[in-house]
Amino acid sequence: MTRGLIPSPRFIEYLSGTVAWQSPLRISIDEEWRGVAKTFGADLEKSIGWSVELVGEGDACDVEILGLPELDVEAFQISVAARTRVEASSPAGVAYALTVLRQLGPASLWSDVPSAVASIEVPCVVIQDGPAFAWRGLHLDVSRHFFDVKTVCRLIDLLAAHRLNRLHLHLNDDQGWRVEIPSWPRLSEIGSTRRSSPVGHEDDGVDDDTPHGGFYSASDLESIRHHAAKRFVQIVPEIDLPGHAQAAIAAYPELGNVTDSLEVWTRWGISDHVLSVGPRSLEFAEDVVLYVASLFPDSPVHIGGDECPTIEWEQSSDAQSVMRDHGFHEARQLQGLFTKRMASALEREGHEVLAWDEVLDAEVPKGMVVVSWRSSAKGVEAAKRGLDVVMAPMQFLYFDWLNSLSPDEPVALAPAPFATTWEKVYGFSVVPPDLDPELAHHVRGAQAQLWSEYITTRDHLDYMAFPRLAAFSEVVWGTASTETDFRPRLEEHVERLAAMGVHYRPLDVDE
Ligand code: TNX
């Protein structure tokens, strides 16, 4: 008996025979790591109503979990036998091994509706596994459409099921500010709701005249962070400034460059309204980013920095005088003031800092990690400049693009001929083939992006994320091979997705 594992392990050998498990499943595990076994127990209880009994070292058990310090931090070894043995050097490694054990059982182990299962059969197998990349992420835009805590936590569970370990939350944009900041209350009071949104494709020019809003309180974000920690997923919060700031300016007009009052933007695209470069705006940027960072004390923080139009700065006499003070010749250099201010404040507080690849257009503060979205070539450029990079090229990893060229696909951001099939995602190389191998260590990993202009519901989020995210998980785990090898495993895997209630896109749709 074999099972379609995703992501595929680095080494696997099926032995003959199977073992049968019944409830209560007896697990022997060190005191320190019990939390991991408890999470696994809660998962089994939810899916098949089983309980997990934690037993002492040396007691009779079904699964024995042992520390093996020489393994890499997320690595693990499994040997399924009458007494199954799991070895890892960290709780994350144990959690991943338990995910694999769950995949070695039937799809019902993933069900979100409990079913009564008397016994499960698991193939005898030996596995040695561990990821090739430390950064295996998903980005979620909660600004264009807001997703509540429950939906985000469910997405975290889905990431963990694929052994992905970062969730980058895009918390503000022109169309909505999504986090309560006590010292700037109008951001959530005013900036979190827009009056109307486009219906269908933005280019159709139709509006729904229906307010859309939502924001997270500090305690909401804390529960997301706790849930994520339990699943070994690190939340990477993003505050995107000084561009993409219209919602912030709608809340605090004094932070903008124009005197007319602005509303939270009701169209998609890139607003020309950006923060002014005055001292108050710089102070604002530092203040909010530090506050958000304080809610995620152990996380790297993303400071945005993409797509910042300079037209308002070019037309503002105040901005011109700031340019003269700094000896700048081009308005775009003004953005560097925000980059530096936010990055140095965050670094002082011990946070690693990330930014979109537009920061490469100017001098990049040392130690900043570049998220390369315009193309893999931007990642190569970053690595050549000695910077670490997270690969996120839109051509492969923007899951807001069409799933295929079928005319039946729901409206998506990029129109045909742009489509990103799961097969295309599966063919993505995290390390660009033209990168000098000596610089490959700069590639931390990769992340897929779910921008949400055209994603309004949880079901549609599922449809855009899966099965592409399953293909991505294997790519970024580092074990992708051929489509012929992957496809039958994916066919089994979508049964797990179905059990989890995921509205994934079917693997084949007539084109
Ligand atoms: C570009 S990627 C953006 C987003 C859009 C996205 C749509 C990036 C840093 N900025 O503002 O939502 O394209 O695909």
Side-chain angles (χ1 to χ4, degrees):
M1 178 202 257
T2 62
R3 301 271 194 200
L5 303 181
I6 289 185
S8 166
R10 209 150 281 293
F11 171 83
I12 179 161
E13 187 185 354
Y14 282 97
L15 310 173
S16 60
T18 59
V19 292
W21 287 343
Q22 272 125 31
S23 182
L25 190 72
R26 296 158 306 166
I27 299 186
S28 145
I29 188 165
D30 196 80
E31 194 63 45
E32 231 188 303
W33 288 356
R34 291 209 153 180
V36 184
K38 283 191 182 148
T39 304
F40 180 63
D43 289 340
L44 286 195
E45 162 133 45
K46 190 173 144 205
S47 59
I48 52 172
W50 282 23
S51 55
V52 158
E53 190 186 322
L54 300 181
V55 301
E57 216 180 301
D59 291 347
C61 69
D62 302 296
V63 181
E64 175 181 36
I65 296 173
L66 299 165
L68 189 60
E70 54 268 39
L71 289 182
D72 285 345
V73 68
E74 294 179 301
F76 55 90
Q77 296 180 169
I78 300 173
S79 151
V80 174
R83 187 179 170 100
T84 291
R85 208 178 152 93
V86 164
E87 289 162 315
S89 66
S90 75
V94 175
Y96 292 160
L98 293 176
T99 302
V100 174
L101 288 183
R102 214 168 150 199
Q103 287 196 351
L104 285 170
S108 58
L109 292 193
W110 296 89
S111 172
D112 61 346
V113 188
S115 55
V117 172
S119 164
I120 57 179
E121 218 185 328
V122 181
C124 293
V125 69
V126 173
I127 290 174
Q128 283 153 8
D129 204 4
F133 297 98
W135 192 287
R136 305 183 304 280
L138 177 70
H139 153 287
L140 176 67
D141 170 11
V142 293
S143 170
R144 273 54 174 270
H145 283 100
F146 181 67
F147 295 97
D148 62 12
V149 172
K150 203 167 145 214
T151 305
V152 174
C153 289
R154 171 180 178 272
L155 191 61
I156 289 167
D157 293 346
L158 289 166
L159 294 185
H162 294 82
R163 285 181 262 144
L164 297 169
N165 65 0
R166 301 280 190 277
L167 178 63
H168 168 178
L169 285 180
H170 183 76
L171 289 167
N172 73 292
D173 216 300
D174 296 312
Q175 297 84 358
W177 187 281
R178 303 283 174 233
V179 44
E180 185 176 34
I181 312 282
S183 52
W184 298 86
R186 288 163 61 89
L187 290 171
S188 45
E189 283 162 17
I190 303 217
S192 69
T193 306
R194 65 172 176 268
R195 184 180 47 78
S196 175
S197 310
V199 183
H201 201 276
E202 152 94 350
D203 297 346
D204 302 342
V206 183
D207 298 296
D208 69 0
D209 289 319
T210 306
H212 177 83
F215 63 90
Y216 305 114
S217 64
S219 86
D220 290 338
L221 290 176
E222 198 185 341
S223 42
I224 290 176
R225 180 166 68 83
H226 277 298
H227 187 81
K230 222 169 57 180
R231 297 287 188 194
F232 302 95
V233 170
Q234 185 175 50
I235 303 292
V236 180
E238 176 188 354
I239 292 295
D240 192 3
L241 295 172
H244 292 271
Q246 188 168 325
I249 301 167
Y252 290 96
E254 65 271 28
L255 299 176
N257 295 285
V258 290
T259 45
D260 341 332
S261 81
L262 298 176
E263 60 173 358
V264 178
W265 210 21
T266 57
R267 306 300 298 164
W268 309 138
I270 309 168
S271 166
D272 282 336
H273 297 296
V274 303
L275 293 187
S276 77
V277 292
R280 187 80 179 128
S281 298
L282 284 156
E283 194 181 304
F284 165 78
E286 173 174 334
D287 224 31
V288 292
V289 84
L290 280 183
Y291 174 74
V292 171
S294 74
L295 302 175
F296 297 95
D298 305 319
S299 285
V301 175
H302 196 300
I303 58 166
D306 57 317
E307 303 173 325
C308 181
T310 52
I311 175 112
E312 286 191 339
W313 294 341
E314 281 152 33
Q315 290 167 356
S316 143
S317 55
D318 288 349
Q320 296 301 310
S321 106
V322 174
M323 278 181 68
R324 277 193 300 279
D325 292 348
H326 286 85
F328 294 159
H329 345 277
E330 287 180 78
R332 68 184 175 88
Q333 292 173 281
L334 289 166
Q335 187 175 340
L337 299 177
F338 285 91
T339 314
K340 276 204 193 108
R341 177 84 176 251
M342 292 164 87
S344 54
L346 288 166
E347 272 159 17
R348 268 199 312 276
E349 296 300 318
H351 293 274
E352 183 163 64
V353 182
L354 295 97
W356 297 113
D357 64 46
E358 279 90 338
V359 290
L360 292 170
D361 298 346
E363 195 195 327
V364 184
K366 211 168 140 260
M368 187 175 267
V369 179
V370 173
V371 183
S372 174
W373 74 274
R374 286 179 292 179
S375 65
S376 287
K378 290 286 164 196
V380 171
E381 185 184 332
K384 282 189 180 155
R385 283 164 63 172
L387 299 161
D388 277 5
V389 53
V390 172
M391 291 293 180
M394 60 179 174
Q395 300 81 358
F396 291 89
L397 299 183
Y398 269 35
F399 291 178
D400 56 337
W401 289 24
L402 289 169
N403 268 295
S404 78
L405 292 175
S406 159
D408 298 331
E409 289 296 349
V411 58
L413 185 118
F418 301 103
T420 307
T421 58
W422 63 261
E423 291 92 335
K424 180 166 183 191
V425 174
Y426 196 65
F428 173 62
S429 302
V430 178
V431 175
D434 58 337
L435 180 67
D436 176 349
E438 303 226 322
L439 297 177
H441 67 274
H442 281 300
V443 179
R444 294 263 184 106
Q447 62 180 36
Q449 273 49 232
L450 280 171
W451 294 103
S452 63
E453 289 94 331
Y454 296 95
I455 303 179
T456 59
T457 64
R458 192 188 93 174
D459 284 354
H460 195 50
L461 194 69
D462 283 357
Y463 181 91
M464 298 308 270
F466 295 99
R468 293 188 285 197
L469 200 64
F472 172 72
S473 74
E474 189 156 303
V475 168
V476 77
W477 190 258
T479 51
S481 61
T482 60
E483 218 179 287
T484 327
D485 172 77
F486 181 61
R487 165 116 202 176
R489 285 186 290 112
L490 185 60
E491 280 169 10
E492 276 186 59
H493 188 67
V494 294
E495 287 173 31
R496 295 182 193 116
L497 295 178
M500 285 186 267
V502 173
H503 288 251
Y504 65 92
R505 181 194 180 276
L507 301 191
D508 299 301
V509 172
D510 292 340
E511 288 182 14

